[in-house]
Amino acid sequence: MRLSTSGIIFVLAGAALIITAYRFALPGLLPAGLLLLGLVLLSALLILWGTRRVSIAMSTSLHEVALSPSGDRHPLAAEGKEVEMEARVTNIGQLAIPAATIDFVPAEGFGDSTSGDVPPLAHGASQSVLTSFTPNRRGVSGIEAVLITVFGPFGLVKMKKKVHGAFPVAVSVPILPARIPQDSSIRPARLDDGKVRTGHTTRDFHTREYVPGDDLRHVHWPSTAKSGELMVRHEADEETLHALIVIDLIADEGVEEPSDLEIEFLLAAATAAGTAFLRADYEVNVVAPGHQIRFNGARDIDKLRLLSALVRSGRVELPSHDNPNHIVICSVGDQRGQELASHFSRRVPVTLRTLSEIDDLTMLGLSEDLPESWTTFESRRSGSGTGRTATGSGTAGAGGPSSAPGGTSSTPGDATSTPQGVRR
């Protein structure tokens, strides 16, 4: 609680009148001095009582998302996207509340402080105050506190008081427009070169050549006419495709630990990959430090985004039993990435993302500035160095490709390829 300029003048004038009344035996000045001091005291009491009877409810239009097993729900925002919030101010006291100002104090990384005006409120009256923030850092942040500043009657006293505590909001990394290629190298080998489509409520078919004993009722005449050979429909079992995304946020031995910005880049790459697989109806198992969660279909994309806000740096523990159709490894260093890839069968295609693909992180802003190569899944792996300044990424069967002269690499049975990293 503080005195305004008028309040200070009233106190000084009242004190001067009281002193003068006693000093010079002028009793007529005493009531005037007491009145001035009484007005200041009354204003302070009224403002103190009024601010105790103010209720503020925070809300936002953001969708709330929860992750198992904790079940804690968080409003979910995206980094770099504006977040609108509303504070509902209600006078629950018997006395009217004079005009006030609401100050919103955001947590670090959630944006700049904002404020709004509240008109005088009678008993039971409410007023909504709208504000917005633009988060610039992933994680759980939001509003740290809400303060109200009220001026008492006559404008003699003002009081700033905390009327609402933290209002957490989970901020995910930006979503990159990743896509899954149509080439057969990323699709399960047992699915007949991609001719079989996954299904949920209907049966799928592919065609093959007629062999003696096939039911002629299953002849597929359009394919027969196109190929010139008698073709029959073959019913396929429904199958759920499975992708594994591994997020490892620990540096190689002898290299400094990753910064918050570097961690954000890797999480953006992992989230982009997971989003692409989920939109393609894959079941996605994400393994990160302290987390192992399975997601199913596009309906779980928001849960994946929430995970990107909650993950902290550390070493990942690989699942003991997993049989994915594709693996994406997001690792700080090339050495650790190759180590993780070596744990999987060479028959399973692996996409490796490391920080060595980016030469100068200081030239980038949000995760939306990641290399374009991180939004695709090439069907080959290129050579990579051992430090963060080396360039290389791609996809291959796990097992550690050997480097070839000229910056190319090869694996048994695979064609050599050039590096796919982006230099800036």
Side-chain angles (χ1 to χ4, degrees):
M1 184 180 298
R2 298 176 56 186
L3 294 175
S4 65
T5 303
S6 299
I8 294 174
I9 294 175
F10 270 53
V11 170
L12 294 177
L17 289 174
I18 293 175
I19 293 174
T20 302
Y22 282 102
R23 177 77 175 180
F24 299 101
L26 298 173
L29 298 180
L30 185 60
L34 293 175
L35 177 61
L36 293 178
L37 294 179
L39 288 175
V40 175
L41 181 60
L42 176 63
S43 179
L45 292 175
L46 290 176
I47 193 176
L48 182 63
W49 174 260
T51 54
R52 292 180 57 189
R53 312 301 294 174
V54 174
S55 172
I56 292 186
M58 296 294 300
S59 62
T60 178
S61 59
L62 295 174
H63 179 54
E64 290 193 352
V65 183
L67 280 181
S68 58
S70 66
D72 295 336
R73 303 187 67 83
H74 297 272
L76 182 62
E79 181 183 341
K81 303 297 183 181
E82 187 179 52
V83 177
E84 294 185 351
M85 308 190 76
E86 177 183 353
R88 186 75 173 174
V89 185
T90 305
N91 178 13
I92 59 176
Q94 298 297 324
L95 301 177
I97 298 176
T101 301
I102 297 292
D103 295 306
F104 301 92
V105 182
E108 185 178 0
F110 196 66
D112 299 324
S113 299
T114 61
S115 61
D117 296 327
V118 180
L121 297 177
H123 166 64
S126 298
Q127 175 67 31
S128 293
V129 179
L130 300 177
T131 186
S132 62
F133 301 90
T134 303
N136 54 31
R137 182 183 302 177
R138 72 158 195 102
V140 179
S141 51
I143 300 295
E144 195 171 82
V146 180
L147 309 177
I148 185 170
T149 303
V150 182
F151 284 88
F154 320 114
L156 303 177
V157 180
K158 68 175 180 179
M159 181 177 184
K160 178 176 285 189
K161 181 180 179 181
K162 180 179 177 180
V163 289
H164 195 283
F167 185 82
V169 175
V171 181
S172 73
V173 296
I175 303 301
L176 304 179
R179 58 182 177 83
I180 298 178
Q182 299 301 317
D183 64 299
S184 61
S185 62
I186 198 172
R187 299 184 62 82
R190 58 185 177 277
L191 292 187
D192 191 19
D193 295 331
K195 294 180 181 178
V196 179
R197 299 184 301 273
T198 60
H200 296 284
T201 58
T202 60
R203 305 301 294 178
D204 295 316
F205 301 88
H206 66 93
T207 57
R208 60 171 175 80
E209 293 184 3
Y210 172 85
V211 295
D214 284 338
D215 192 336
L216 292 178
R217 292 176 299 178
H218 294 165
V219 172
H220 190 256
W221 297 111
S223 298
T224 299
K226 183 177 180 180
S227 64
E229 301 286 343
L230 193 61
M231 306 293 291
V232 295
R233 295 187 305 171
H234 181 75
E235 185 175 353
D237 293 331
E238 293 186 1
E239 182 170 2
T240 299
L241 303 181
H242 177 204
L244 173 64
I245 298 179
V246 179
I247 305 172
D248 187 77
L249 302 178
I250 189 169
D252 290 340
E253 185 177 356
V255 181
E256 63 181 7
E257 291 301 316
S259 65
D260 291 340
L261 183 60
E262 291 172 328
I263 290 176
E264 183 177 315
F265 288 156
L266 290 173
L267 289 174
T271 305
T275 300
F277 281 116
L278 289 173
R279 286 175 175 166
D281 273 344
Y282 275 66
E283 179 181 293
V284 179
N285 184 18
V286 179
V287 183
H291 299 274
Q292 181 174 341
I293 303 177
R294 290 187 180 272
F295 303 98
N296 295 279
R299 66 181 182 274
D300 281 349
I301 290 178
D302 281 345
K303 293 182 179 180
L304 175 62
R305 292 176 53 210
L306 176 58
L307 179 63
S308 75
L310 301 178
V311 169
R312 296 292 179 263
S313 60
R315 181 183 294 271
V316 71
E317 296 294 334
L318 293 177
S320 55
H321 300 286
D322 221 331
N323 184 30
N325 304 117
H326 194 86
I327 300 170
V328 178
I329 298 176
C330 297
S331 175
V332 175
D334 298 323
Q335 180 180 346
R336 176 63 175 163
Q338 296 291 349
E339 177 187 341
L340 291 170
S342 66
H343 286 80
F344 300 99
S345 169
R346 296 178 61 88
R347 298 181 59 188
V348 181
V350 176
T351 298
L352 180 60
R353 306 293 191 214
T354 66
L355 294 176
S356 63
E357 296 182 63
I358 307 175
D359 287 340
D360 190 359
L361 290 171
T362 62
M363 298 299 293
L364 304 181
L366 297 176
S367 303
E368 294 169 333
D369 298 321
L370 284 171
E372 184 178 356
S373 63
W374 281 27
T375 65
T376 60
F377 303 91
E378 299 298 337
S379 59
R380 59 186 182 270
R381 169 179 283 173
S382 58
S384 59
T386 58
R388 291 192 192 175
T389 59
T391 302
S393 74
T395 306
S402 58
S403 298
T408 62
S409 64
S410 62
T411 57
D414 289 342
T416 59
S417 59
T418 57
Q420 301 296 316
V422 176
R423 291 193 174 273
R424 294 177 179 261

